[in-house]
Amino acid sequence: SAVISQKPSRDICQRGTSLTIQCQVDSQVTMMFWYRQQPGQSLTLIATANQGSEATYESGFVIDKFPISRPNLTFSTLTVSNMSPEDSSIYLCSVEGGGRETQYFGPGTRLLVL
Amino acid sequence: GEDVEQSLFLSVREGDSSVINCTYTDSSSTYLYWYKQEPGAGLQLLTYIFSNMDMKQDQRLTVLLNKKDKHLSLRIADTQTGDSAIYFCAEHNAGGTSYGKLTFGQGTILTVHP
C-alpha cells in the first residue's frame, strides 16, 4: 500500500484567506484524488489530478475556488481559496494502488474557517 | 447517477458479530469497498470485493455481495471495542468520465459496548 502524508494536519483560518494543502506519496502514482468530508458527512470527490494535465473537477467544484497543482508523480497541492465557514471540512487526498482497484487515503487536513 | 446508502448506527456487545449493510444503485460498479475511520483519523481500507465475486473472507471480516439486489454487507466476527469507528461503503466505477471515482455511503457509526 502507498504511504501518504498531508500538510498541514489541521488549521484554523480567517474567512477570506486561502490555504494550500500538500499531499506527498512515497511512490510514483498516475492519478491523485482530492476529497472533502464536511462535518458529519460522507466523502465527496472534488477533483482528479493527473501529472502533466489540468485537473478534472466534479460537478459543484470549480478551479477558481479549488486550484490544484500536480508538478510530479509523487506530489500534489489543493488550495482552498477565499474561504468561508462553509469550507470547514476535512480534506483528504488519495491515490490508486498498484493494481488500480484500490485507493489509499492520506490522514486528512482538518480545516476550520472562522 | 450513483448512490450508495447505509444505515447510520449500529450498536453491539463485545464478542458478538456485527453486520453493516450497504445498498448501491450503479449496476456498472466494478469494485466495492469497506473503509474504516476512527475518531480524528483518515480512512483505512479494510477490504474490497470485485463485482463478479459473491463473498470474500479476510480474518475476522466477511464481505457478502448480492449483485442482483445491489446489496453489500460487512460482517465483523468477535467484535472488539477497538472496532468502534465509522464504516464507509464505497463503489468504484471504472468506466467513462468517472474513471477512478469512488462514491461513498454516508457511513455507519459502530459502537461496541463492553
Side-chain angles (χ1 to χ4, degrees):
Chain A
S1 64
V3 176
I4 306 167
S5 60
Q6 288 186 232
K7 289 182 183 178
S9 59
R10 59 181 68 239
D11 207 342
I12 301 173
C13 300
Q14 296 297 318
R15 69 170 67 212
T17 62
S18 297
L19 176 72
T20 295
I21 302 168
Q22 299 178 7
C23 178
Q24 180 77 51
V25 190
D26 69 340
S27 57
Q28 294 184 339
V29 293
T30 304
M31 300 176 79
M32 296 179 78
F33 306 89
W34 286 98
Y35 287 81
R36 180 175 74 181
Q37 185 180 21
Q38 293 178 297
Q41 302 293 315
S42 185
L43 281 82
T44 302
L45 180 65
I46 298 171
T48 303
N50 286 345
Q51 194 267 335
S53 63
E54 294 285 330
T56 302
Y57 289 82
E58 295 296 308
S59 174
F61 297 97
V62 295
I63 187 171
D64 290 347
K65 176 67 175 177
F66 296 102
I68 287 171
S69 79
R70 183 78 202 275
N72 58 52
L73 291 173
T74 63
F75 187 78
S76 179
T77 67
L78 169 78
T79 299
V80 186
S81 303
N82 188 23
M83 288 183 286
S84 67
E86 291 72 33
D87 294 319
S88 298
S89 294
I90 304 173
Y91 292 86
L92 301 105
C93 72
S94 75
V95 304
E96 288 185 326
R100 307 198 87 174
E101 69 274 14
T102 51
Q103 275 194 29
Y104 298 100
F105 283 80
T109 296
R110 283 153 179 79
L111 171 62
L112 176 63
V113 184
L114 301 177
Chain B
E2 308 93 0
D3 193 22
V4 179
E5 298 213 351
Q6 303 175 236
S7 52
L8 293 182
F9 302 99
L10 178 65
S11 179
V12 301
R13 199 174 299 276
E14 190 174 20
D16 290 348
S17 292
S18 307
V19 179
I20 303 171
N21 294 300
C22 171
T23 57
Y24 60 99
T25 58
D26 187 356
S27 57
S28 63
S29 297
T30 50
Y31 290 95
L32 295 124
Y33 305 84
W34 286 103
Y35 285 88
K36 176 183 180 183
Q37 186 177 41
E38 296 182 81
L43 267 70
Q44 174 193 355
L45 176 63
L46 285 178
T47 186
Y48 63 96
I49 188 168
F50 188 46
S51 58
N52 70 353
M53 298 170 64
D54 52 20
M55 187 180 105
K56 181 178 181 181
Q57 187 152 3
D58 184 1
Q59 299 181 355
R60 291 192 298 126
L61 305 179
T62 303
V63 178
L64 295 178
L65 175 60
N66 182 329
K67 195 171 181 182
K68 173 177 171 288
D69 294 339
K70 299 190 184 70
H71 182 267
L72 182 75
S73 68
L74 173 69
R75 178 177 179 270
I76 306 173
D78 187 24
T79 312
Q80 303 298 307
T81 54
D83 294 323
S84 294
I86 303 174
Y87 290 80
F88 289 97
C89 166
E91 62 97 13
H92 178 227
N93 187 323
T97 58
S98 300
Y99 186 81
K101 174 182 176 180
L102 293 187
T103 301
F104 284 82
Q106 61 269 58
T108 298
I109 300 173
L110 173 65
T111 304
V112 183
H113 298 285

